[in-house]
Amino acid sequence: RPPEEEEEEEEAEVGWQEKLFSQFEVDLYQNESACQTPLDLQYREEILKLEKTGGRKNNRIFTYTDHDRFTNLEEHCQKVTDSDHEVPSYLAERMANVRRRRQDRRPVEASSLKSKIITWEPSEEFKKNSHVINTPVQTMYIMGDLGPYGKLGHREYEHVLCTVKVDGNGVITVKPDFTGTRGAYRIEQDGEKREVWKYTIENASVQVQPEEEEREQRVFTDLYARHKEYLSGLVGSEFEMTLPGTLRLFVNGEIVSAQGYEYDNLYVHFFVELPSQWSSPVFQQLSGVTQTCATKTVGWDKVAHFCYPFTLDMFFTQGHESEDSLPQWPVLYFEVLSLDFWQRYRVEGYGSLVLPASPGLHMLTTPTWRPVMLGTVAELRRYFIGGSPELEDITYARIPSTFKGERLSRFGFRTETTGSVMFRLYCLQQSKAFLETSALRQRMQSVLDRLGGFSQQSSVYSVLEAFQRARRRMQEARQSLPQDLISTSASSV
């Protein structure tokens, strides 16, 4: 190999959108007939000036700016997949033209923007235009002519060394990244010699002075403050406050999944029962039904992923009669059903869930059961023609709403354990008592404490009632005993 070919190095400092001509462009624009556009003519003039002043300083390193034909072709020909027969989709074709500037965009006034934050009835043309991120992007390619020694100017030896993009928001993207402490990037040439080229990329920009950095921070602070005021103007300050002695419970819920059921194509029907002293707005829907979801095998179970969202808004008003008694918390009842190809439905399970009293995120998994009948006839009917024993009142899954007695007996009622349903609940509480320091806050806080204890264990209410009854019976028995016997036992203790 010639001595000048042994270790060939070149270093170039390139500015943003700075044009460095390659040997191919120099040879091309020497011919005036090859210039077809005003940009080509401008390049020809610049190349002729360079020839008069001693030629170009760069040898193998050159650039393609945002206005060159290479940039358009390179971005339009980029593939989304690695398939040889890829057909670009509508979205891929539109995204290939993202870099083009939109000159028809007009500034939108604040008043019209405030009234059109959400387009409730979008047209098809609006969907097509808004489906693609239309942030304008400027691109620049730093290239390298990696041809053999003495054979510069061939397009097949051109390789992209670095791509620099700046979008309309001022975000700069450098790919690959600056070398830093990592080793140099490598490019292996296919051919007889299998040449290996190494190159590094460094940030040669001038460091910002402390005064300019402080001024920039002040500009950012002022910009963020103005944007905050703009958002505050859009939202407004007229928030709805609850009445004194009223607690508002807002639940953003989601039926996440159901698993462990016998049949496929599951859906869930649910509703919320409001106890006494609870109310909800007129427009609030306290019931719903999910979509029919096919199951997917995960491990040993078949899981149906619903991801069905729902919203609940309820109000608790404390009365005088509730100060001494333990108030009840809303209960969510639900049933899981399956639907087959012949539109036959089967009840897969019933369940209930006490809404959490503490605010925050709650992930709850609730098991279910279904009623069964003795013998094989009922199961044959369930398998072949659908249908199964059902509850006339779903609240029977817990305590029926029509039950007014003291004891509820389920003796003889046969059930079978089925699967489970997972809920994700985001609970928010709003009360004016949270902001006050009077006796009202203490009284409301005691109610919340009792409600919170009740929500942690749904059977606390019945346990406390049984304890009160046992205490009353003990007091009655103590009063019926002779006084001398009571005093003797007390002294011995």
Side-chain angles (χ1 to χ4, degrees), residues 347-398:
V347 175
E348 299 294 334
Y350 293 94
S352 63
L353 171 68
V354 180
L355 296 181
S358 58
L361 170 62
H362 302 270
M363 295 292 297
L364 303 175
T365 302
T366 306
T368 59
W369 52 266
R370 67 178 182 89
V372 296
M373 295 179 62
L374 293 177
T376 59
V377 178
E379 293 301 318
L380 289 173
R381 182 185 299 111
R382 171 182 168 85
Y383 179 80
F384 286 103
I385 64 176
S388 57
E390 303 179 31
L391 296 180
E392 184 177 355
D393 185 5
I394 303 182
T395 59
Y396 192 77
R398 195 169 176 271

Side-chain angles (χ1 to χ4, degrees), residues 371-443:
V372 296
M373 295 179 62
L374 293 177
T376 59
V377 178
E379 293 301 318
L380 289 173
R381 182 185 299 111
R382 171 182 168 85
Y383 179 80
F384 286 103
I385 64 176
S388 57
E390 303 179 31
L391 296 180
E392 184 177 355
D393 185 5
I394 303 182
T395 59
Y396 192 77
R398 195 169 176 271
I399 300 177
S401 57
T402 56
F403 178 72
K404 302 298 181 182
E406 296 181 357
R407 297 176 179 85
L408 175 62
S409 176
R410 289 191 172 93
F411 182 76
F413 182 65
R414 298 181 179 273
T415 61
E416 180 184 41
T417 302
T418 54
S420 60
V421 181
M422 179 182 294
F423 293 86
R424 180 185 288 114
L425 303 176
Y426 294 89
C427 300
L428 291 84
Q429 293 180 1
Q430 181 187 11
S431 176
K432 202 169 184 179
F434 296 153
L435 306 176
E436 297 179 356
T437 58
S438 60
L440 176 62
R441 178 178 179 179
Q442 299 177 359
R443 187 175 62 185

Side-chain angles (χ1 to χ4, degrees), residues 3-198:
E4 61 271 10
E5 190 184 354
E6 291 295 333
E7 292 183 1
E8 187 176 0
E9 295 183 0
E10 183 177 348
E11 182 177 348
E13 184 174 333
V14 182
W16 172 244
Q17 297 297 343
E18 180 182 355
K19 180 63 179 176
L20 299 180
F21 295 100
S22 65
Q23 185 64 41
F24 175 80
E25 290 177 318
V26 171
D27 298 339
L28 176 65
Y29 294 129
Q30 291 286 349
N31 187 4
E32 187 175 1
S33 61
C35 302
Q36 301 177 359
T37 62
L39 183 62
D40 296 344
L41 296 175
Q42 178 184 347
Y43 285 168
R44 172 180 167 80
E45 294 178 0
E46 293 179 3
I47 289 174
L48 294 178
K49 290 181 181 179
L50 286 175
E51 292 294 336
K52 294 179 181 179
T53 57
R56 60 194 182 100
K57 297 180 181 180
N58 59 306
N59 188 23
R60 291 183 178 269
I61 300 176
F62 62 97
T63 61
Y64 285 126
T65 62
D66 188 68
H67 305 285
D68 290 333
R69 286 192 296 267
F70 176 85
T71 308
N72 286 324
L73 295 176
E74 180 71 15
E75 294 185 353
H76 187 71
C77 298
Q78 287 181 353
K79 290 188 175 182
V80 181
T81 65
D82 55 358
S83 175
D84 296 334
H85 306 285
E86 177 188 342
V87 178
S89 62
Y90 167 78
L91 182 59
E93 291 180 352
R94 292 295 300 273
M95 289 300 293
N97 299 327
V98 163
R99 59 178 297 274
R100 299 183 179 177
R101 301 166 184 80
R102 298 184 59 187
Q103 303 292 346
D104 56 344
R105 298 182 65 178
R106 299 178 180 177
V108 184
E109 297 181 358
S111 59
S112 61
L113 180 61
K114 184 177 180 179
S115 61
K116 294 183 180 180
I117 298 179
I118 300 176
T119 304
W120 296 105
E121 296 180 358
S123 60
E124 293 297 328
E125 187 67 23
F126 178 81
K127 293 178 182 179
K128 289 183 178 181
N129 295 333
S130 302
H131 189 57
V132 181
I133 303 174
N134 52 13
T135 305
V137 178
Q138 286 187 317
T139 311
M140 177 182 179
Y141 291 93
I142 302 177
M143 309 291 294
D145 190 345
L146 307 184
Y149 180 78
K151 296 183 179 180
L152 301 181
H154 296 276
R155 299 296 293 269
E156 61 269 16
Y157 294 113
E158 293 183 2
H159 290 266
V160 178
L161 302 181
C162 181
T163 304
V164 184
K165 295 183 179 181
V166 178
D167 63 9
N169 299 323
V171 178
I172 303 175
T173 305
V174 180
K175 183 180 179 181
D177 198 2
F178 298 117
T179 307
T181 58
R182 296 189 298 269
Y185 296 107
R186 294 164 52 95
I187 296 179
E188 296 184 5
Q189 284 287 93
D190 296 333
E192 299 178 357
K193 296 183 180 180
R194 301 287 296 179
E195 295 179 344
V196 177
W197 295 85
K198 296 182 179 181

